Amino acid sequence: NKKEFDMAPMFADRKETKLFFASSRMGSTGDDIDPISCQNYVDIWVSEIDKKGNWGEPKLIDNSGLINTPEHEGSVTFDGRGKTMFFTRCPNMKKHNLGCDIWVSEMKGKDEWSEPKKLNLKTNDSITVGHPCVSDDGKFLIFASDMPGGYGGKDLWYTLYDKKNDSWTTPKNLGPEINTKGNELFPTFGKDGSLFFASDGLVGMGGLDLFKAAKVGEEMKWEAPKNLGTPINSESNDYALYELTEVKGYFTSERKSPSGQFNPDIYKYELPPDN
């Protein structure tokens, strides 16, 4: 973690040795400053862990300019093979009301990605779609959006890949079992198919809290979500959880850091045995 924003941890490889995350740290692409955060625009970075458990110096995921641009890139996810990458990109064109989009890129070789393609998921450029979460087979995609037909704020929606037409189906809302009048963001899948996400519309400890909804049957449906409680959730925003095992994982929190700041940082957790 740096003094800038570090957030949305995600692993791509099955051995879970390469940690991808979004960061506005020095070295990010472009020189513009985001007028909202007063930070550099966010890029996707990667760090690799060695056999001793030490993280290597993070680096931008590519040097081609195809993935990281002077705009915002972040909230990345991968299919089960780690060969297909979905990520959020948010335009920063002045005097234009443009929402974020989800883009997809295929791995071409070691640390190389193809030119990304934008998913056609929305009916208006001002609508935001982002925070992708994809199934292992790469055919079921959950995302956050403020598109019409939701329950308030940003909701979680889903779409299916139509192989025959090489397109994604019209998005459908995950429904009132998950979504509220507030915001539901940063969905991820747990090892057992559970759905993790952040919400400020459910009863929580303050700001965005992390919730878990257990999977029901073989279909993509989930039970009523449960708050993960402390110490994972805090009075600040907590979101973007990645589950390594039933008791270990990573997430983002804006709680006060050891340096005294409240910027987003990446945390690792380990639950006690009785959990």
Side-chain angles (χ1 to χ4, degrees):
N1 290 311
K2 299 292 186 182
K3 64 179 181 180
E4 295 86 9
F5 292 1
D6 297 291
M7 56 192 291
M10 178 60 61
F11 287 86
D13 57 319
R14 292 187 181 276
K15 294 182 179 180
E16 295 173 321
T17 60
K18 291 184 178 181
L19 178 68
F20 291 75
F21 62 99
S23 179
S24 61
R25 63 183 57 206
M26 297 298 294
S28 295
T29 308
D31 299 321
D32 290 341
I33 299 297
D34 184 348
I36 297 176
S37 67
C38 297
Q39 298 268 354
N40 293 333
Y41 281 89
V42 171
D43 275 348
I44 303 171
W45 295 71
V46 61
S47 176
E48 191 164 0
I49 195 169
D50 62 24
K51 294 180 180 179
K52 296 182 179 180
N54 299 314
W55 290 105
E57 184 67 24
K59 59 182 181 180
L60 292 168
I61 64 169
D62 76 315
N63 297 313
S64 64
L66 295 177
I67 306 298
N68 288 317
T69 70
E71 300 177 333
H72 276 301
E73 282 85 26
S75 300
V76 64
T77 189
F78 300 86
D79 67 353
R81 301 178 305 138
K83 302 294 185 181
T84 303
M85 174 176 62
F86 299 79
F87 65 94
T88 306
R89 176 178 288 166
C90 301
N92 60 355
M93 293 178 63
K94 296 180 180 178
K95 298 182 180 181
H96 287 78
N97 183 22
L98 299 176
C100 304
D101 288 285
I102 294 174
W103 295 69
V104 60
S105 176
E106 303 291 336
M107 180 178 283
K108 297 197 310 181
K110 182 177 174 59
D111 300 328
E112 292 185 20
W113 295 93
S114 66
E115 184 171 355
K117 298 179 180 179
K118 184 169 67 174
L119 301 191
N120 183 23
L121 299 175
K122 60 190 191 183
T123 57
N124 190 298
D125 286 343
S126 64
I127 294 171
T128 282
V129 295
H131 303 174
C133 168
V134 72
S135 58
D136 281 347
D137 62 8
K139 297 179 180 179
F140 182 87
L141 182 71
I142 296 177
F143 60 92
S145 178
D146 58 359
M147 63 178 56
Y151 292 87
K154 290 184 173 68
D155 279 4
L156 297 187
W157 300 72
Y158 74 92
T159 178
L160 303 173
Y161 178 65
D162 181 353
K163 185 176 181 180
K164 181 178 179 180
N165 296 311
D166 188 25
S167 64
W168 292 85
T169 61
T170 301
K172 293 184 178 181
N173 193 286
L174 280 187
E177 295 80 11
I178 299 295
N179 292 310
T180 69
K181 293 181 180 179
N183 295 290
E184 280 67 49
L185 306 166
F186 296 100
T188 59
F189 289 127
K191 297 300 183 184
D192 62 356
S194 295
L195 178 65
F196 291 96
F197 65 97
S199 174
D200 60 10
L202 295 167
V203 177
M205 301 177 62
L208 290 169
D209 269 15
L210 280 159
F211 291 82
K212 178 180 180 179
K215 187 179 179 182
V216 178
E218 295 302 317
E219 297 183 9
M220 291 296 183
K221 295 183 178 181
W222 294 269
E223 294 178 352
K226 296 181 180 180
N227 191 298
L228 293 187
T230 139
I232 293 178
N233 286 318
S234 67
E235 295 179 354
S236 300
N237 290 323
D238 304 286
Y239 50 92
L241 184 144
Y242 180 90
E243 186 180 60
L244 278 174
T245 69
E246 290 184 359
V247 296
K248 296 180 181 180
Y250 296 83
F251 68 102
T252 306
S253 180
E254 296 178 15
R255 68 191 67 189
K256 189 175 182 179
S257 69
S259 61
Q261 297 176 320
F262 287 91
N263 287 339
D265 278 334
I266 296 172
Y267 288 77
K268 182 179 180 180
Y269 70 87
E270 183 170 354
L271 301 176
D274 59 351
N275 278 23

